[in-house]
Amino acid sequence: MSIVVTGATGHLGRHVVEQLLEKVPADQITAVVRDEAKASGFAARGVKIATADYNTPETFDGLFAAGDKVLLISGNEFDKGRPAQHQVVIDAAKAAGVALLAYTSAPGSLTAALADDHRATEQALTSSGVPYTLLRNGWYHENYTENLAPVLEHDAVVAAAGEGRVSSAARADYAAAAVAVLTGEGHENKTYELGGDEAWSFAEYAAELSRQTGREIVYNSVPTEVLTGILTGAGLPGPLAAILAGVDASVEKGELVVSSGDLSRLVGRPTTPLAEAITAALKG
């Protein structure tokens, strides 16, 4: 039996593998990667490495074995048809007879275009007959704290979210939930709505940045189309800019507030506060 993690050298995947290493022997972990060189650190610690690509279905042939628990981390190639990419993994998992296929999805309350690929993947997975767990991950602190340069340059947080709130948590928190499912029992055919314990507004985010930097950082709420223009001006492709701006519109409607408590229950501790993520980012 192996625990298999796809996208294992991505931001979330690295956290998952690191936390799995604290709980199970390295030779029970298989890291699925596109670039083997990026996984050399894991290989040196005894993790099995498998090279496969969502865009090349045959690379998944024989990769899974009966009884494996698999974490399908959603792809980030928005322009390449993610549901079809994910279907490759679902088909391979079904053919192998895996014990569980967990998928990192998006909150059930999210109606933004970003959620469309996730809903399509969920439908494919739940109808596949493969035992599944839907990890409906809320927003990550790092979506904001890893992009502080323009905020600090202009002393302004710019978003199209109005007074909407976000129940974000740290990537490591979501990774811990995935690890709990992969190493635990009784998670078959369950759906978990995952988000941070405390929801915050962008005005509060700006206030916390002001407190920690000693500077006056304001929140500028702009219309969705203005934010789309700012993002394309910063070099993002038009379709991706529109998707991200659409998430802000969902935030304004309250769609990224997750109050289930599933995340802290799964990980057995409170989720990481936003203030802590800001501190870490400012130090980095």
Side-chain angles (χ1 to χ4, degrees):
M1 194 279 286
S2 188
I3 295 175
V4 186
V5 180
T6 73
T9 53
H11 290 306
L12 180 63
R14 282 193 178 278
H15 278 291
V16 172
V17 176
E18 287 288 353
Q19 292 187 36
L20 280 172
L21 282 165
E22 296 171 9
K23 295 206 163 193
V24 299
D27 62 3
Q28 288 182 18
I29 306 168
T30 299
V32 181
V33 299
R34 284 191 292 193
D35 181 355
E36 203 170 333
K38 288 185 179 174
S40 58
F42 289 147
R45 292 158 73 184
V47 174
K48 295 175 184 171
I49 309 298
T51 308
D53 190 320
Y54 295 151
N55 300 304
T56 316
E58 60 271 19
T59 58
F60 279 90
D61 290 349
L63 198 153
F64 305 135
D68 281 352
K69 290 186 176 179
V70 180
L71 177 64
L72 167 54
I73 293 180
S74 56
N76 59 4
E77 296 175 312
F78 295 92
D79 57 337
K80 291 194 176 175
R82 293 194 297 168
Q85 292 181 327
H86 299 157
Q87 187 71 54
V88 168
V89 180
I90 294 168
D91 290 345
K94 183 172 184 175
V98 304
L100 184 73
L101 178 54
Y103 172 64
T104 61
S105 190
S109 53
L110 186 65
T111 64
L114 178 75
D116 293 348
D117 290 352
H118 292 300
R119 299 296 162 251
T121 302
E122 288 186 1
Q123 178 61 43
L125 179 51
T126 56
S127 61
S128 69
V130 176
Y132 67 85
T133 306
L134 300 182
L135 297 165
R136 287 180 168 169
N137 286 359
W139 227 221
Y140 301 161
H141 292 332
E142 290 88 347
N143 290 348
Y144 303 103
T145 60
E146 285 181 353
N147 298 297
L148 285 179
V151 173
L152 298 176
E153 184 183 341
H154 301 289
D155 285 333
V157 171
V158 179
E163 295 177 12
R165 304 180 79 78
V166 182
S167 303
S168 65
R171 274 202 195 99
D173 295 336
Y174 293 108
V179 168
V181 165
L182 294 167
T183 59
E185 299 297 333
H187 300 290
E188 292 81 2
N189 305 332
K190 296 276 182 69
T191 298
Y192 296 111
E193 298 286 349
L194 304 176
D197 295 336
E198 300 288 336
W200 50 268
S201 69
F202 283 87
E204 289 167 349
Y205 175 50
E208 182 59 29
L209 282 167
S210 299
R211 190 183 72 77
Q212 293 202 27
T213 59
R215 293 154 57 173
E216 188 179 344
I217 295 174
V218 298
Y219 167 43
N220 289 338
S221 181
V222 298
T224 307
E225 56 273 17
V226 171
L227 181 62
T228 305
I230 290 170
L231 293 172
T232 52
L236 262 63
L240 180 57
I243 285 173
L244 293 178
V247 170
D248 273 20
S250 284
V251 170
E252 186 166 23
K253 290 186 270 187
E255 293 178 4
L256 275 174
V257 173
V258 179
S259 54
S260 65
D262 284 353
L263 183 52
S264 53
R265 265 196 303 276
L266 270 178
V267 304
R269 58 168 172 78
T271 59
T272 307
L274 177 65
E276 212 170 285
I278 291 172
T279 303
L282 291 172
K283 277 182 186 163

Coordinates of all heavy atoms in Angstrom, one line a residue, residues 117-189:
D117 N -14.4 24.1 -13.2 CA -13.5 22.9 -13.4 C -13.6 22.0 -12.2 O -13.6 20.8 -12.3 CB -12.1 23.4 -13.5 CG -11.8 24.1 -14.9 OD1 -12.7 24.1 -15.7 OD2 -10.7 24.6 -15.1
H118 N -13.7 22.6 -11.0 CA -13.8 21.7 -9.8 C -15.1 21.0 -9.7 O -15.2 19.8 -9.4 CB -13.7 22.6 -8.5 CG -12.3 23.2 -8.3 ND1 -11.2 22.4 -8.2 CD2 -11.9 24.4 -8.3 CE1 -10.1 23.1 -8.1 NE2 -10.5 24.4 -8.1
R119 N -16.2 21.6 -10.1 CA -17.5 21.0 -10.1 C -17.6 19.8 -11.1 O -18.1 18.7 -10.8 CB -18.7 21.9 -10.4 CG -18.8 23.1 -9.3 CD -19.2 22.6 -7.9 NE -18.9 23.7 -7.0 CZ -17.9 23.6 -6.1 NH1 -17.1 22.6 -6.0 NH2 -17.7 24.6 -5.3
A120 N -17.0 20.1 -12.3 CA -16.9 19.0 -13.3 C -16.1 17.9 -12.8 O -16.5 16.7 -13.1 CB -16.3 19.6 -14.6
T121 N -15.0 18.1 -12.2 CA -14.1 17.0 -11.7 C -14.9 16.3 -10.6 O -14.8 15.0 -10.5 CB -12.8 17.6 -11.1 OG1 -12.1 18.3 -12.2 CG2 -11.9 16.5 -10.6
E122 N -15.5 17.0 -9.7 CA -16.3 16.3 -8.6 C -17.3 15.4 -9.2 O -17.5 14.2 -8.7 CB -17.0 17.4 -7.7 CG -16.1 18.1 -6.8 CD -16.8 19.0 -5.9 OE1 -18.1 19.1 -5.9 OE2 -16.2 19.7 -5.1
Q123 N -18.0 15.9 -10.2 CA -19.1 15.0 -10.9 C -18.4 13.7 -11.4 O -19.0 12.6 -11.3 CB -19.7 15.8 -12.0 CG -20.8 15.1 -12.8 CD -22.0 14.6 -11.9 OE1 -22.4 15.4 -11.0 NE2 -22.4 13.4 -12.1
A124 N -17.3 13.9 -12.1 CA -16.6 12.7 -12.7 C -16.2 11.8 -11.6 O -16.3 10.5 -11.8 CB -15.4 13.2 -13.5
L125 N -15.7 12.3 -10.5 CA -15.2 11.5 -9.5 C -16.3 10.7 -8.7 O -16.2 9.5 -8.5 CB -14.3 12.3 -8.5 CG -13.7 11.6 -7.3 CD1 -12.9 10.4 -7.7 CD2 -12.8 12.6 -6.5
T126 N -17.3 11.5 -8.4 CA -18.4 10.9 -7.6 C -19.2 9.8 -8.4 O -19.8 8.9 -7.8 CB -19.4 11.9 -7.0 OG1 -19.9 12.7 -8.1 CG2 -18.7 12.8 -6.0
S127 N -19.2 10.0 -9.7 CA -19.9 9.0 -10.6 C -19.0 7.9 -11.1 O -19.4 7.0 -11.8 CB -20.5 9.7 -11.7 OG -19.6 10.3 -12.6
S128 N -17.7 7.9 -10.7 CA -16.7 6.9 -11.2 C -16.8 5.6 -10.5 O -16.3 4.6 -11.0 CB -15.3 7.5 -11.1 OG -14.9 7.5 -9.7
G129 N -17.4 5.6 -9.3 CA -17.3 4.3 -8.5 C -16.1 4.2 -7.6 O -16.0 3.3 -6.8
V130 N -15.1 5.1 -7.8 CA -13.9 5.1 -6.9 C -14.3 5.7 -5.6 O -14.9 6.7 -5.5 CB -12.8 5.9 -7.6 CG1 -11.6 5.9 -6.7 CG2 -12.4 5.3 -9.0
P131 N -13.9 5.0 -4.5 CA -14.1 5.7 -3.2 C -13.4 7.0 -3.2 O -12.2 7.1 -3.5 CB -13.5 4.7 -2.2 CG -13.5 3.4 -2.9 CD -13.2 3.7 -4.3
Y132 N -14.1 8.1 -2.8 CA -13.5 9.4 -2.9 C -13.7 10.2 -1.6 O -14.5 9.9 -0.7 CB -14.3 10.2 -4.0 CG -15.7 10.5 -3.7 CD1 -16.1 11.6 -2.9 CD2 -16.8 9.6 -4.0 CE1 -17.4 11.9 -2.6 CE2 -18.1 9.8 -3.7 CZ -18.4 11.0 -2.9 OH -19.7 11.2 -2.6
T133 N -12.8 11.3 -1.5 CA -13.0 12.3 -0.5 C -12.9 13.7 -1.2 O -11.9 13.9 -2.0 CB -12.0 12.3 0.6 OG1 -12.0 11.0 1.2 CG2 -12.3 13.3 1.7
L134 N -13.9 14.5 -1.1 CA -13.8 15.9 -1.7 C -13.3 16.8 -0.6 O -13.9 17.0 0.4 CB -15.1 16.3 -2.2 CG -15.8 15.5 -3.3 CD1 -17.1 16.1 -3.7 CD2 -14.8 15.3 -4.5
L135 N -12.1 17.3 -0.8 CA -11.5 18.3 0.1 C -11.7 19.7 -0.6 O -11.0 20.2 -1.4 CB -10.0 18.1 0.2 CG -9.6 16.7 0.8 CD1 -8.1 16.4 0.6 CD2 -9.9 16.7 2.3
R136 N -12.8 20.3 -0.2 CA -13.2 21.6 -0.8 C -12.4 22.7 -0.1 O -12.9 23.4 0.8 CB -14.7 21.8 -0.7 CG -15.4 20.9 -1.6 CD -16.9 21.1 -1.5 NE -17.7 20.5 -2.6 CZ -19.0 20.3 -2.7 NH1 -19.7 20.8 -1.6 NH2 -19.6 19.7 -3.7
N137 N -11.2 22.9 -0.6 CA -10.3 23.9 0.0 C -10.8 25.3 -0.2 O -11.0 25.7 -1.3 CB -8.9 23.8 -0.5 CG -8.2 22.6 0.0 OD1 -8.7 21.8 0.8 ND2 -6.9 22.3 -0.5
G138 N -10.8 26.1 0.9 CA -11.1 27.5 0.8 C -9.9 28.2 0.3 O -8.9 27.6 -0.2
W139 N -9.9 29.6 0.4 CA -8.8 30.4 -0.1 C -7.5 30.2 0.8 O -7.7 30.0 2.0 CB -9.2 31.8 -0.2 CG -8.9 32.5 -1.4 CD1 -8.5 33.8 -1.5 CD2 -9.0 32.1 -2.8 NE1 -8.3 34.2 -2.8 CE2 -8.6 33.1 -3.6 CE3 -9.4 30.9 -3.4 CZ2 -8.6 33.0 -5.0 CZ3 -9.4 30.7 -4.8 CH2 -8.9 31.8 -5.6
Y140 N -6.4 30.4 0.3 CA -5.1 30.3 1.0 C -4.7 31.7 1.5 O -4.7 32.7 0.7 CB -4.0 29.7 0.2 CG -4.2 28.3 -0.4 CD1 -3.5 27.9 -1.5 CD2 -5.2 27.5 0.2 CE1 -3.7 26.6 -2.0 CE2 -5.4 26.2 -0.3 CZ -4.7 25.8 -1.4 OH -4.9 24.5 -1.9
H141 N -4.1 31.8 2.7 CA -3.5 33.1 3.1 C -2.5 33.5 2.1 O -2.3 34.7 1.8 CB -2.7 32.9 4.4 CG -3.6 32.6 5.6 ND1 -4.9 33.1 5.8 CD2 -3.3 32.0 6.8 CE1 -5.3 32.7 7.0 NE2 -4.4 32.1 7.6
E142 N -1.7 32.5 1.6 CA -0.6 32.8 0.7 C -1.0 33.5 -0.6 O -0.2 34.1 -1.3 CB 0.2 31.5 0.4 CG 1.0 31.1 1.6 CD 0.2 30.1 2.5 OE1 -1.0 30.0 2.4 OE2 0.8 29.5 3.4
N143 N -2.3 33.3 -1.0 CA -2.8 34.0 -2.2 C -2.6 35.5 -2.1 O -2.5 36.2 -3.1 CB -4.3 33.7 -2.4 CG -4.5 32.2 -2.9 OD1 -3.6 31.5 -3.2 ND2 -5.8 31.8 -2.8
Y144 N -2.6 36.0 -0.9 CA -2.4 37.4 -0.6 C -1.0 37.7 -0.1 O -0.3 38.6 -0.6 CB -3.4 37.9 0.4 CG -4.9 37.6 -0.1 CD1 -5.6 36.5 0.5 CD2 -5.4 38.3 -1.1 CE1 -6.9 36.2 0.0 CE2 -6.7 38.1 -1.5 CZ -7.4 37.0 -1.0 OH -8.7 36.7 -1.5
T145 N -0.5 36.9 0.9 CA 0.7 37.3 1.6 C 2.0 37.0 0.7 O 3.0 37.6 0.9 CB 0.9 36.5 2.9 OG1 0.9 35.1 2.6 CG2 -0.2 36.8 3.8
E146 N 1.8 36.2 -0.4 CA 3.0 36.0 -1.3 C 3.0 37.1 -2.3 O 4.0 37.1 -3.1 CB 2.9 34.6 -2.0 CG 3.2 33.5 -1.0 CD 3.2 32.1 -1.7 OE1 2.7 32.0 -2.9 OE2 3.6 31.1 -1.0
N147 N 2.1 38.0 -2.3 CA 2.1 39.1 -3.3 C 2.0 40.4 -2.7 O 1.3 41.3 -3.1 CB 0.9 38.9 -4.3 CG 0.9 37.6 -5.0 OD1 1.8 37.4 -5.8 ND2 -0.1 36.7 -4.8
L148 N 2.9 40.6 -1.7 CA 2.9 41.8 -0.9 C 3.6 43.0 -1.6 O 3.4 44.1 -1.2 CB 3.4 41.6 0.5 CG 2.5 40.9 1.5 CD1 3.2 40.7 2.8 CD2 1.2 41.6 1.7
A149 N 4.5 42.7 -2.6 CA 5.3 43.7 -3.2 C 4.5 44.9 -3.7 O 4.8 46.1 -3.3 CB 6.2 43.1 -4.2
P150 N 3.5 44.7 -4.5 CA 2.7 45.9 -5.0 C 2.0 46.6 -3.9 O 1.8 47.8 -3.9 CB 1.8 45.3 -6.0 CG 1.8 43.8 -5.8 CD 3.1 43.5 -5.2
V151 N 1.5 45.8 -2.9 CA 0.8 46.4 -1.7 C 1.7 47.4 -1.0 O 1.4 48.5 -0.7 CB 0.3 45.3 -0.8 CG1 -0.3 45.9 0.5 CG2 -0.7 44.4 -1.5
L152 N 3.0 46.9 -0.7 CA 3.9 47.7 0.0 C 4.5 48.9 -0.8 O 4.8 49.9 -0.3 CB 5.1 46.8 0.5 CG 4.6 45.7 1.5 CD1 5.8 44.8 1.9 CD2 4.0 46.3 2.8
E153 N 4.5 48.7 -2.1 CA 5.0 49.7 -3.0 C 4.0 50.9 -3.1 O 4.4 52.1 -3.1 CB 5.1 49.2 -4.4 CG 5.7 50.1 -5.4 CD 5.8 49.6 -6.8 OE1 5.8 48.3 -7.0 OE2 5.9 50.4 -7.8
H154 N 2.7 50.6 -3.0 CA 1.7 51.6 -3.2 C 0.9 51.9 -1.8 O 0.0 52.8 -1.8 CB 0.6 51.2 -4.2 CG 1.2 51.0 -5.6 ND1 1.7 52.0 -6.4 CD2 1.5 49.8 -6.3 CE1 2.2 51.5 -7.5 NE2 2.1 50.2 -7.5
D155 N 1.3 51.2 -0.8 CA 0.6 51.3 0.5 C -0.9 51.2 0.4 O -1.7 51.9 1.0 CB 1.0 52.7 1.2 CG 2.4 52.7 1.8 OD1 2.9 51.6 2.1 OD2 2.9 53.8 1.9
A156 N -1.2 50.2 -0.5 CA -2.7 50.0 -0.7 C -3.0 48.5 -1.1 O -2.2 47.9 -1.8 CB -3.2 50.9 -1.9
V157 N -4.0 48.0 -0.4 CA -4.6 46.7 -0.8 C -5.7 47.0 -1.8 O -6.6 47.8 -1.5 CB -5.2 46.0 0.4 CG1 -6.0 44.7 0.0 CG2 -4.1 45.6 1.4
V158 N -5.6 46.5 -3.0 CA -6.6 46.7 -4.1 C -7.4 45.4 -4.3 O -6.8 44.4 -4.6 CB -6.0 47.2 -5.4 CG1 -7.0 47.5 -6.4 CG2 -5.2 48.5 -5.1
A159 N -8.7 45.5 -4.2 CA -9.5 44.3 -4.5 C -10.9 44.8 -4.9 O -11.3 45.9 -4.7 CB -9.6 43.4 -3.2
A160 N -11.6 43.8 -5.5 CA -13.0 44.1 -6.0 C -14.0 43.4 -5.1 O -15.0 42.9 -5.6 CB -13.1 43.8 -7.5
A161 N -13.7 43.4 -3.8 CA -14.5 42.5 -2.9 C -15.4 43.3 -2.0 O -16.1 42.6 -1.2 CB -13.5 41.7 -2.1
G162 N -15.5 44.6 -2.1 CA -16.4 45.4 -1.3 C -16.1 45.1 0.2 O -14.9 45.1 0.6
E163 N -17.1 44.8 1.0 CA -16.9 44.5 2.4 C -17.0 43.0 2.7 O -17.2 42.6 3.8 CB -18.0 45.2 3.2 CG -17.9 46.7 3.1 CD -19.0 47.5 3.9 OE1 -19.7 46.8 4.6 OE2 -19.1 48.7 3.7
G164 N -16.9 42.2 1.6 CA -16.9 40.8 1.7 C -15.8 40.2 2.6 O -14.8 40.8 2.8
R165 N -16.0 39.0 3.1 CA -15.1 38.4 4.0 C -14.6 37.1 3.5 O -15.2 36.4 2.6 CB -15.7 38.1 5.4 CG -16.3 39.4 6.0 CD -16.9 39.2 7.4 NE -15.9 39.1 8.4 CZ -15.3 40.1 9.0 NH1 -15.6 41.3 8.6 NH2 -14.4 39.9 10.0
V166 N -13.4 36.7 3.9 CA -12.7 35.5 3.4 C -12.3 34.6 4.6 O -11.6 35.1 5.5 CB -11.4 35.8 2.6 CG1 -10.8 34.6 2.1 CG2 -11.8 36.8 1.5
S167 N -12.7 33.3 4.6 CA -12.2 32.4 5.6 C -11.0 31.7 5.1 O -11.0 30.5 4.8 CB -13.3 31.3 5.9 OG -14.5 31.9 6.3
S168 N -9.9 32.4 5.0 CA -8.7 31.7 4.5 C -7.9 31.0 5.6 O -8.1 31.2 6.8 CB -7.8 32.8 3.8 OG -7.3 33.7 4.7
A169 N -7.0 30.1 5.1 CA -6.1 29.4 6.1 C -4.8 29.2 5.4 O -4.7 29.5 4.2 CB -6.7 28.1 6.5
A170 N -3.8 28.7 6.1 CA -2.5 28.5 5.5 C -2.5 27.3 4.6 O -3.2 26.3 4.9 CB -1.4 28.4 6.6
R171 N -1.6 27.3 3.6 CA -1.4 26.1 2.8 C -1.1 24.8 3.7 O -1.6 23.8 3.5 CB -0.3 26.2 1.8 CG -0.7 26.9 0.5 CD 0.3 26.6 -0.6 NE 0.1 27.5 -1.7 CZ 0.8 28.6 -1.9 NH1 1.8 28.9 -1.1 NH2 0.5 29.4 -2.9
A172 N -0.3 25.1 4.7 CA 0.1 24.0 5.6 C -1.2 23.4 6.3 O -1.2 22.2 6.6 CB 1.1 24.4 6.6
D173 N -2.2 24.2 6.6 CA -3.4 23.8 7.2 C -4.2 22.8 6.3 O -4.6 21.7 6.7 CB -4.3 24.9 7.6 CG -3.7 25.9 8.7 OD1 -2.9 25.4 9.4 OD2 -4.1 27.0 8.7
Y174 N -4.3 23.2 5.0 CA -5.0 22.4 4.1 C -4.2 21.1 3.8 O -4.8 20.0 3.6 CB -5.2 23.2 2.7 CG -6.2 24.3 2.9 CD1 -5.7 25.7 2.8 CD2 -7.5 24.2 3.1 CE1 -6.6 26.7 3.0 CE2 -8.4 25.2 3.2 CZ -7.9 26.5 3.1 OH -8.8 27.6 3.3
A175 N -2.9 21.2 3.8 CA -2.1 20.0 3.6 C -2.3 19.1 4.8 O -2.4 17.8 4.6 CB -0.6 20.4 3.5
A176 N -2.4 19.6 6.0 CA -2.7 18.8 7.2 C -4.0 18.0 7.1 O -4.1 16.9 7.5 CB -2.6 19.6 8.4
A177 N -5.0 18.7 6.5 CA -6.3 18.0 6.4 C -6.2 16.9 5.4 O -6.7 15.8 5.6 CB -7.3 19.1 5.9
A178 N -5.5 17.1 4.3 CA -5.3 16.0 3.3 C -4.5 14.9 3.9 O -4.9 13.7 3.7 CB -4.5 16.6 2.1
V179 N -3.5 15.2 4.7 CA -2.7 14.1 5.4 C -3.6 13.3 6.4 O -3.5 12.1 6.5 CB -1.5 14.7 6.1 CG1 -0.8 13.7 7.0 CG2 -0.5 15.2 5.0
A180 N -4.5 14.0 7.1 CA -5.4 13.4 8.0 C -6.3 12.4 7.3 O -6.5 11.3 7.8 CB -6.2 14.4 8.8
V181 N -6.7 12.8 6.1 CA -7.6 11.9 5.3 C -6.8 10.7 4.7 O -7.3 9.5 4.8 CB -8.3 12.7 4.2 CG1 -8.9 11.8 3.1 CG2 -9.3 13.6 4.8
L182 N -5.6 11.0 4.3 CA -4.8 9.9 3.6 C -4.3 8.9 4.6 O -4.0 7.7 4.3 CB -3.6 10.6 2.9 CG -4.0 11.4 1.7 CD1 -2.8 12.2 1.2 CD2 -4.5 10.6 0.5
T183 N -4.1 9.3 5.9 CA -3.5 8.4 6.9 C -4.6 7.9 7.8 O -4.3 7.1 8.7 CB -2.4 9.1 7.7 OG1 -2.9 10.3 8.3 CG2 -1.2 9.5 6.8
G184 N -5.8 8.4 7.7 CA -6.8 8.0 8.7 C -7.8 7.0 8.1 O -7.6 6.5 7.0
E185 N -8.9 6.8 8.8 CA -9.9 5.9 8.3 C -11.3 6.5 8.3 O -11.5 7.5 9.0 CB -10.0 4.6 9.2 CG -8.7 3.8 9.3 CD -8.3 3.2 8.0 OE1 -9.2 2.9 7.2 OE2 -7.1 3.0 7.7
G186 N -12.2 6.0 7.5 CA -13.6 6.5 7.6 C -13.9 7.7 6.8 O -14.9 8.4 7.0
H187 N -13.0 8.1 5.8 CA -13.2 9.3 5.0 C -13.8 9.0 3.6 O -13.9 9.9 2.8 CB -11.9 10.0 4.9 CG -11.3 10.5 6.2 ND1 -11.9 11.4 7.0 CD2 -10.2 10.0 6.9 CE1 -11.1 11.6 8.1 NE2 -10.1 10.7 8.1
E188 N -14.1 7.7 3.4 CA -14.6 7.4 2.0 C -16.0 8.0 1.8 O -16.9 8.1 2.6 CB -14.8 5.8 1.9 CG -13.5 5.0 1.9 CD -13.0 4.8 3.3 OE1 -13.6 5.2 4.3 OE2 -11.9 4.2 3.4
N189 N -16.1 8.6 0.6 CA -17.3 9.2 0.1 C -17.8 10.3 1.0 O -19.0 10.5 1.2 CB -18.4 8.1 -0.1 CG -17.9 7.0 -1.1 OD1 -17.1 7.3 -1.9 ND2 -18.4 5.8 -0.9

